[in-house]
């Protein structure tokens, strides 16, 4: 039988590598890791135990509702950090039994959800 062990990476189409690296590395704190020499420009990033792969597609049409979610801690610290980095975000209304959430978009419009494990 086939056994799925977990998520390895998420691949995102981005319009600009420079803008995306500024957002993901400088803004969110991802670290850039080695990437094979593909003919299509991009970058591989480490975020916690996982990877985010960026693929440059200047003509990509981004669905602003599709998203991936990251786990983070401390609502106030996340908001302060995003504000300091100039990253626009929206704190979702609290839903009983659900972690607090912050929604933001990268420079290409890819949606990211931060699930906050503590307030």
């Amino acid at each position: 039988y086939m056994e799925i062990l977990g998520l390895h990476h998420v691949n995102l189409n981005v319009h600009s590598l420079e803008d995306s690296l500024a957002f993901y590395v400088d803004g969110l704190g991802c670290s850039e890791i080695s990437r094979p020499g593909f003919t299509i420009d991009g970058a591989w990033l480490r975020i916690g135990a996982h990877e985010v792969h960026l693929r440059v597609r200047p003509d990509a049409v981004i669905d602003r509702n599709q998203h991936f979610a990251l786990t983070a801690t401390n609502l106030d610290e996340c908001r302060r950090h995003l504000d300091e980095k100039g990253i626009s975000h929206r704190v979702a209304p609290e839903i009983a039994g659900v972690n607090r959430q912050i929604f933001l978009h990268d420079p290409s419009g890819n949606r990211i959800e931060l699930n906050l494990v503590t307030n």
Side-chain angles (χ1 to χ4, degrees):
Y1 72 97
M2 179 178 73
E3 181 181 5
I4 303 294
L5 300 177
L7 181 68
H8 183 271
H9 72 270
V10 172
N11 185 84
L12 301 173
N13 290 324
V14 297
H15 298 139
S16 162
L17 187 58
E18 181 181 346
D19 292 345
S20 297
L21 287 175
F23 177 84
Y24 286 100
V25 175
D26 300 334
L28 296 186
C30 298
S31 55
E32 194 168 359
I33 58 176
S34 180
R35 176 180 183 261
F38 297 120
T39 57
I40 296 174
D41 203 14
W44 286 2
L45 308 173
R46 170 122 7 246
I47 187 160
H50 304 288
E51 296 178 15
V52 173
H53 295 181
L54 306 177
R55 181 177 181 218
V56 177
R57 296 264 326 266
D59 62 341
V61 175
I62 307 296
D63 181 335
R64 293 179 59 86
N65 289 309
Q66 281 189 150
H67 68 278
F68 66 98
L70 303 171
T71 303
T73 61
N74 195 306
L75 176 69
D76 293 333
E77 285 299 314
C78 283
R79 293 180 72 186
R80 183 188 57 73
H81 175 86
L82 295 170
D83 286 341
E84 284 177 1
K85 297 294 183 174
I87 298 173
S88 178
H89 59 280
R90 178 182 65 84
V91 178
E94 188 167 3
I95 301 170
V98 177
N99 290 340
R100 293 299 309 262
Q101 301 161 315
I102 297 176
F103 291 96
L104 50 132
H105 289 87
D106 74 9
S108 297
N110 291 297
R111 187 176 189 189
I112 301 162
E113 174 184 328
L114 296 179
N115 269 297
L116 302 155
V117 294
T118 62
N119 289 334

